[in-house]
Amino acid sequence: MELNRRTVIAGAAAAGLAATTLGTGNAQAATGSASGRKPVKEPFGKLADGTKIYRWSLENGGTRLKVLNWGGVVQSLEIPDRHGHHANVSLGFDNIDDYVAKTPYFGALIGRYGNRIAKGQFTLDGKSYQLSVNDGVNSLHGGKQGFDKHVWDVEPFTKGSDVGLHLHYTSVDGEMGYPGTLKAKVTYTLTKHGDWRIDYEATTDKATVVNLTSHVYWNLAGEGSGTIEDHELRIAAARYTPTDSGLIPTGELAKVGGTPFDFRHAKPIGRDIRAGHEQQVQAKGYDHNWALDKGITAKPEHVATLRDPRSGRTLKIATDQPGLQFYSGNFLDGTLTGTGGRTYRQGDALCLETQHFPDSPNHANFPSTVLRPGQTYRTTTIHTFSA
């Protein structure tokens, strides 16, 4: 029953969830001083083959979002601090060439399978598949040319008090080794409260596996402002999935209690990041999947809170997914210069990727990621901002 592992949430219900369960966003949204406007499209350069890349700018409820048709990339996301001053809290580049040649998935839509699959191999219905390998011997984020490295069709929209973008991409049968032609639709919505909502949908004509996510690198003090180790993080999970030396889950669901992986109560990220735990040593920090206490749910539920004490900016994440990958920016090495003209170094940002578990196709005890013809993959993640 793979279908019931992915759930549908009605637009009206989701809007109510964002407004009630997650709060009403920032002060500008509460006062009504910022209102949605039609997304604005502008050129953002060309690919080597002459393909034009565009950027769409959206604003609603005090949140400002800029998105590329290249990989569905969130190129910039601005939110206000406690004094109403906006800052871009998402790492990125100011030109398309760097996104094509250098990016470690800054702001990208990830597919066909977010996270890692061991040796790029899995078996489905008795047939073995070999995927594109791009992370040592493993497949990461869909392979060498995942969804983040393709041009998406973008359709802007306004609906009531919401503004947003519908993004479409068709992955043909056999692309990066995956079976089935997968038709993906991802919708970015900014609500009147300034929440950023992502709705993922996909259908297939052949049994396949799918695990879509967003790879925004967050620094709530502002991109290029330095370390996120003083950010306070809470994750509603009593267990996580330990990994081997290749960052592939072992299959164990380990308890976080008594380890540096315990974020059940908010704590500064830097408090335990150098604790010397074997799992941290091999990952160079945190780069693990937390098995969320709530599991798979019929609608998004609040699972994580990130807060920057300096600015007061707070991010709350709600999802219907069973897992959350927390990556502490371990492989940023000072070689990349971002949108603000500053270099990004280790620990200058973090990712919180809502997902099914890494390498699920190879672990029968993990929630299934199988999608079959006639089924529709649906999942929703909501980001709520306040200060």
Side-chain angles (χ1 to χ4, degrees):
M1 296 297 291
E2 291 94 355
L3 180 60
N4 64 16
R5 295 184 181 276
R6 293 164 183 86
T7 56
V8 185
I9 181 168
L17 174 73
T20 57
T21 303
L22 298 179
T24 55
N26 55 55
Q28 283 180 292
T31 60
S33 59
S35 59
R37 63 186 184 188
K38 185 176 180 180
V40 177
K41 178 181 177 182
E42 61 183 331
F44 194 75
K46 296 181 181 179
L47 302 181
D49 64 2
T51 301
K52 295 180 179 179
I53 301 301
Y54 294 96
R55 179 173 68 180
W56 279 260
S57 298
L58 302 79
E59 183 173 356
N60 205 6
T63 300
R64 302 166 183 168
L65 180 66
K66 295 183 178 180
V67 177
L68 307 181
N69 61 336
W70 173 256
V73 163
V74 172
Q75 192 257 340
S76 174
L77 197 158
E78 297 182 13
I79 58 175
D81 64 10
R82 60 168 62 92
H83 303 295
H85 301 139
H86 278 76
N88 175 19
V89 298
S90 172
L91 270 58
F93 298 118
D94 62 4
N95 65 91
I96 188 58
D97 291 342
D98 282 350
Y99 278 108
V100 172
K102 301 179 181 180
T103 184
Y105 305 102
F106 284 158
L109 280 177
I110 301 298
R112 182 178 300 196
Y113 198 98
N115 221 305
R116 295 173 172 86
I117 294 183
K119 298 181 180 179
Q121 299 174 351
F122 69 93
T123 299
L124 178 59
D125 295 338
K127 184 175 181 178
S128 297
Y129 295 92
Q130 177 62 58
L131 308 176
S132 167
V133 171
N134 62 329
D135 183 51
V137 299
N138 303 316
S139 183
L140 173 66
H141 293 332
K144 293 180 180 178
Q145 287 189 304
F147 287 7
D148 60 295
K149 297 178 179 65
H150 289 277
V151 176
W152 291 61
D153 294 326
V154 179
E155 176 190 358
F157 70 88
T158 57
K159 183 177 181 180
S161 59
D162 295 342
V163 297
L165 304 170
H166 297 302
L167 300 100
H168 301 266
Y169 176 70
T170 298
S171 175
V172 299
D173 184 21
E175 184 175 278
M176 296 296 103
Y178 287 92
T181 294
L182 189 84
K183 294 184 178 180
K185 176 184 177 182
V186 180
T187 301
Y188 290 163
T189 303
L190 288 186
T191 73
K192 65 180 180 180
H193 304 295
D195 300 339
W196 175 40
R197 172 188 168 119
I198 310 176
D199 292 287
Y200 305 88
E201 296 181 24
T203 58
T204 184
D205 62 359
K206 186 185 297 185
T208 190
V209 295
V210 60
N211 187 30
L212 307 183
T213 191
S214 172
H215 209 292
V216 170
Y217 282 69
W218 301 100
N219 186 322
L220 298 184
E223 65 82 32
S225 64
T227 182
I228 47 81
E229 289 190 9
D230 58 349
H231 280 40
E232 298 165 352
L233 177 63
R234 178 182 176 273
I235 302 174
R239 295 181 182 270
Y240 77 107
T241 53
T243 64
D244 63 18
S245 59
L247 302 183
I248 297 293
T250 63
E252 179 187 6
L253 293 173
K255 294 181 179 179
V256 302
T259 79
F261 293 84
D262 192 349
F263 284 90
R264 288 174 293 177
H265 300 283
K267 68 178 180 181
I269 290 168
R271 176 179 296 175
D272 297 324
I273 202 168
R274 293 172 179 81
H277 191 285
E278 178 186 3
Q279 286 290 308
Q280 292 175 297
V281 172
Q282 65 186 19
K284 296 180 170 56
Y286 296 108
D287 193 0
H288 295 78
N289 168 69
W290 270 252
L292 299 171
D293 292 339
K294 69 174 190 61
I296 300 169
T297 47
K299 62 182 180 180
E301 294 184 11
H302 178 204
V303 296
T305 300
L306 180 69
R307 180 177 181 271
D308 169 40
R310 289 179 290 171
S311 67
R313 294 188 183 94
T314 299
L315 163 65
K316 291 184 177 181
I317 295 178
T319 186
D320 49 23
Q321 292 286 274
L324 181 76
Q325 183 83 7
F326 166 35
Y327 167 58
S328 55
N330 314 327
F331 298 103
L332 297 174
D333 60 5
T335 61
L336 303 177
T337 301
T339 50
R342 298 183 178 91
T343 57
Y344 298 146
R345 299 186 178 277
Q346 187 179 51
D348 278 358
L350 69 135
C351 301
L352 297 168
E353 305 155 62
T354 56
Q355 58 175 19
H356 269 57
F357 299 174
D359 201 34
S360 286
N362 295 311
H363 296 275
N365 61 318
F366 286 1
S368 174
T369 55
V370 174
L371 181 69
R372 299 186 181 278
Q375 299 176 345
T376 300
Y377 170 97
R378 290 188 176 95
T379 179
T380 298
T381 295
I382 302 172
H383 306 79
T384 297
F385 307 104
S386 61

